[in-house]
Amino acid sequence: MEEKQRVFIIHGHDTAVLQELARTLALLGLKAVILQERADHGRTLFEKLEDSTNADFVVELYSKRT
């Protein structure tokens, strides 16, 4: 079975838009990689970021603060 392509999402504070994008990606057969949802396992933010950037695509969401 073929592994789903991974999409790393860089996002701000608008979690509704983030969840909508993640759902859309899932419907397209892609796997959303959301940093804040990944376990820390004692790693720093930068270590966690390094481990998560093994993605096929990157999407960056810009939203204004509410």
Side-chain angles (χ1 to χ4, degrees), residues 26-39:
L27 290 171
L28 293 171
L30 302 168
K31 178 180 170 76
V33 178
I34 302 169
L35 196 61
Q36 73 184 32
E37 293 180 353
R38 302 186 58 89

PDB file of all heavy atoms in Angstrom, residues 26-39:
ATOM      1  N   ALA A  26      -7.215  15.750   3.882  1.00  0.00           N
ATOM      2  CA  ALA A  26      -7.597  14.349   4.099  1.00  0.00           C
ATOM      3  C   ALA A  26      -8.546  13.867   3.007  1.00  0.00           C
ATOM      4  O   ALA A  26      -8.407  12.735   2.514  1.00  0.00           O
ATOM      5  CB  ALA A  26      -8.230  14.194   5.477  1.00  0.00           C
ATOM      6  N   LEU A  27      -9.488  14.710   2.611  1.00  0.00           N
ATOM      7  CA  LEU A  27     -10.419  14.338   1.543  1.00  0.00           C
ATOM      8  C   LEU A  27      -9.700  14.135   0.211  1.00  0.00           C
ATOM      9  O   LEU A  27     -10.156  13.369  -0.640  1.00  0.00           O
ATOM     10  CB  LEU A  27     -11.511  15.403   1.391  1.00  0.00           C
ATOM     11  CG  LEU A  27     -12.519  15.482   2.542  1.00  0.00           C
ATOM     12  CD1 LEU A  27     -13.412  16.705   2.394  1.00  0.00           C
ATOM     13  CD2 LEU A  27     -13.346  14.209   2.611  1.00  0.00           C
ATOM     14  N   LEU A  28      -8.572  14.820   0.046  1.00  0.00           N
ATOM     15  CA  LEU A  28      -7.763  14.667  -1.166  1.00  0.00           C
ATOM     16  C   LEU A  28      -6.786  13.491  -1.073  1.00  0.00           C
ATOM     17  O   LEU A  28      -6.015  13.246  -1.990  1.00  0.00           O
ATOM     18  CB  LEU A  28      -6.980  15.956  -1.431  1.00  0.00           C
ATOM     19  CG  LEU A  28      -7.818  17.174  -1.805  1.00  0.00           C
ATOM     20  CD1 LEU A  28      -6.957  18.433  -1.824  1.00  0.00           C
ATOM     21  CD2 LEU A  28      -8.488  16.959  -3.162  1.00  0.00           C
ATOM     22  N   GLY A  29      -6.815  12.787   0.058  1.00  0.00           N
ATOM     23  CA  GLY A  29      -5.938  11.631   0.231  1.00  0.00           C
ATOM     24  C   GLY A  29      -4.542  11.991   0.702  1.00  0.00           C
ATOM     25  O   GLY A  29      -3.612  11.201   0.544  1.00  0.00           O
ATOM     26  N   LEU A  30      -4.387  13.174   1.291  1.00  0.00           N
ATOM     27  CA  LEU A  30      -3.091  13.628   1.789  1.00  0.00           C
ATOM     28  C   LEU A  30      -3.085  13.611   3.313  1.00  0.00           C
ATOM     29  O   LEU A  30      -4.138  13.701   3.947  1.00  0.00           O
ATOM     30  CB  LEU A  30      -2.805  15.045   1.287  1.00  0.00           C
ATOM     31  CG  LEU A  30      -2.804  15.218  -0.234  1.00  0.00           C
ATOM     32  CD1 LEU A  30      -2.805  16.686  -0.603  1.00  0.00           C
ATOM     33  CD2 LEU A  30      -1.620  14.510  -0.848  1.00  0.00           C
ATOM     34  N   LYS A  31      -1.903  13.518   3.901  1.00  0.00           N
ATOM     35  CA  LYS A  31      -1.770  13.495   5.359  1.00  0.00           C
ATOM     36  C   LYS A  31      -1.265  14.850   5.832  1.00  0.00           C
ATOM     37  O   LYS A  31      -0.178  15.283   5.474  1.00  0.00           O
ATOM     38  CB  LYS A  31      -0.794  12.404   5.788  1.00  0.00           C
ATOM     39  CG  LYS A  31      -0.564  12.344   7.281  1.00  0.00           C
ATOM     40  CD  LYS A  31       0.407  11.226   7.608  1.00  0.00           C
ATOM     41  CE  LYS A  31       0.866  11.275   9.038  1.00  0.00           C
ATOM     42  NZ  LYS A  31      -0.098  10.819   9.983  1.00  0.00           N
ATOM     43  N   ALA A  32      -2.062  15.527   6.672  1.00  0.00           N
ATOM     44  CA  ALA A  32      -1.674  16.823   7.234  1.00  0.00           C
ATOM     45  C   ALA A  32      -0.730  16.595   8.413  1.00  0.00           C
ATOM     46  O   ALA A  32      -0.988  15.769   9.279  1.00  0.00           O
ATOM     47  CB  ALA A  32      -2.900  17.590   7.694  1.00  0.00           C
ATOM     48  N   VAL A  33       0.378  17.324   8.428  1.00  0.00           N
ATOM     49  CA  VAL A  33       1.321  17.282   9.540  1.00  0.00           C
ATOM     50  C   VAL A  33       1.225  18.632  10.242  1.00  0.00           C
ATOM     51  O   VAL A  33       1.609  19.664   9.684  1.00  0.00           O
ATOM     52  CB  VAL A  33       2.767  17.033   9.048  1.00  0.00           C
ATOM     53  CG1 VAL A  33       3.738  17.050  10.208  1.00  0.00           C
ATOM     54  CG2 VAL A  33       2.843  15.729   8.274  1.00  0.00           C
ATOM     55  N   ILE A  34       0.669  18.609  11.472  1.00  0.00           N
ATOM     56  CA  ILE A  34       0.463  19.830  12.249  1.00  0.00           C
ATOM     57  C   ILE A  34       1.353  19.739  13.476  1.00  0.00           C
ATOM     58  O   ILE A  34       1.180  18.859  14.314  1.00  0.00           O
ATOM     59  CB  ILE A  34      -1.020  19.977  12.636  1.00  0.00           C
ATOM     60  CG1 ILE A  34      -1.887  19.987  11.370  1.00  0.00           C
ATOM     61  CG2 ILE A  34      -1.229  21.238  13.469  1.00  0.00           C
ATOM     62  CD1 ILE A  34      -3.367  19.854  11.628  1.00  0.00           C
ATOM     63  N   LEU A  35       2.302  20.650  13.561  1.00  0.00           N
ATOM     64  CA  LEU A  35       3.349  20.587  14.583  1.00  0.00           C
ATOM     65  C   LEU A  35       2.788  20.513  15.993  1.00  0.00           C
ATOM     66  O   LEU A  35       3.243  19.693  16.796  1.00  0.00           O
ATOM     67  CB  LEU A  35       4.284  21.787  14.434  1.00  0.00           C
ATOM     68  CG  LEU A  35       5.617  21.693  15.149  1.00  0.00           C
ATOM     69  CD1 LEU A  35       6.428  20.515  14.633  1.00  0.00           C
ATOM     70  CD2 LEU A  35       6.413  22.970  14.967  1.00  0.00           C
ATOM     71  N   GLN A  36       1.799  21.333  16.330  1.00  0.00           N
ATOM     72  CA  GLN A  36       1.294  21.360  17.698  1.00  0.00           C
ATOM     73  C   GLN A  36       0.579  20.074  18.091  1.00  0.00           C
ATOM     74  O   GLN A  36       0.381  19.808  19.273  1.00  0.00           O
ATOM     75  CB  GLN A  36       0.389  22.563  17.932  1.00  0.00           C
ATOM     76  CG  GLN A  36      -0.965  22.465  17.285  1.00  0.00           C
ATOM     77  CD  GLN A  36      -1.782  23.730  17.472  1.00  0.00           C
ATOM     78  OE1 GLN A  36      -1.235  24.809  17.542  1.00  0.00           O
ATOM     79  NE2 GLN A  36      -3.082  23.596  17.536  1.00  0.00           N
ATOM     80  N   GLU A  37       0.200  19.250  17.124  1.00  0.00           N
ATOM     81  CA  GLU A  37      -0.474  17.986  17.416  1.00  0.00           C
ATOM     82  C   GLU A  37       0.500  16.825  17.591  1.00  0.00           C
ATOM     83  O   GLU A  37       0.094  15.728  17.935  1.00  0.00           O
ATOM     84  CB  GLU A  37      -1.464  17.655  16.299  1.00  0.00           C
ATOM     85  CG  GLU A  37      -2.624  18.614  16.228  1.00  0.00           C
ATOM     86  CD  GLU A  37      -3.597  18.280  15.118  1.00  0.00           C
ATOM     87  OE1 GLU A  37      -3.310  17.369  14.308  1.00  0.00           O
ATOM     88  OE2 GLU A  37      -4.645  18.938  15.053  1.00  0.00           O
ATOM     89  N   ARG A  38       1.774  17.060  17.354  1.00  0.00           N
ATOM     90  CA  ARG A  38       2.773  16.001  17.459  1.00  0.00           C
ATOM     91  C   ARG A  38       3.354  15.978  18.861  1.00  0.00           C
ATOM     92  O   ARG A  38       3.595  17.017  19.460  1.00  0.00           O
ATOM     93  CB  ARG A  38       3.857  16.195  16.414  1.00  0.00           C
ATOM     94  CG  ARG A  38       3.235  16.203  14.999  1.00  0.00           C
ATOM     95  CD  ARG A  38       4.203  16.241  13.897  1.00  0.00           C
ATOM     96  NE  ARG A  38       5.139  15.166  13.880  1.00  0.00           N
ATOM     97  CZ  ARG A  38       4.974  13.985  13.281  1.00  0.00           C
ATOM     98  NH1 ARG A  38       3.847  13.727  12.685  1.00  0.00           N
ATOM     99  NH2 ARG A  38       5.916  13.088  13.285  1.00  0.00           N
ATOM    100  N   ALA A  39       3.559  14.793  19.390  1.00  0.00           N
ATOM    101  CA  ALA A  39       4.083  14.638  20.749  1.00  0.00           C
ATOM    102  C   ALA A  39       5.495  15.206  20.862  1.00  0.00           C
ATOM    103  O   ALA A  39       6.290  15.104  19.925  1.00  0.00           O
ATOM    104  CB  ALA A  39       4.086  13.164  21.136  1.00  0.00           C
TER     105      ALA A  39
END
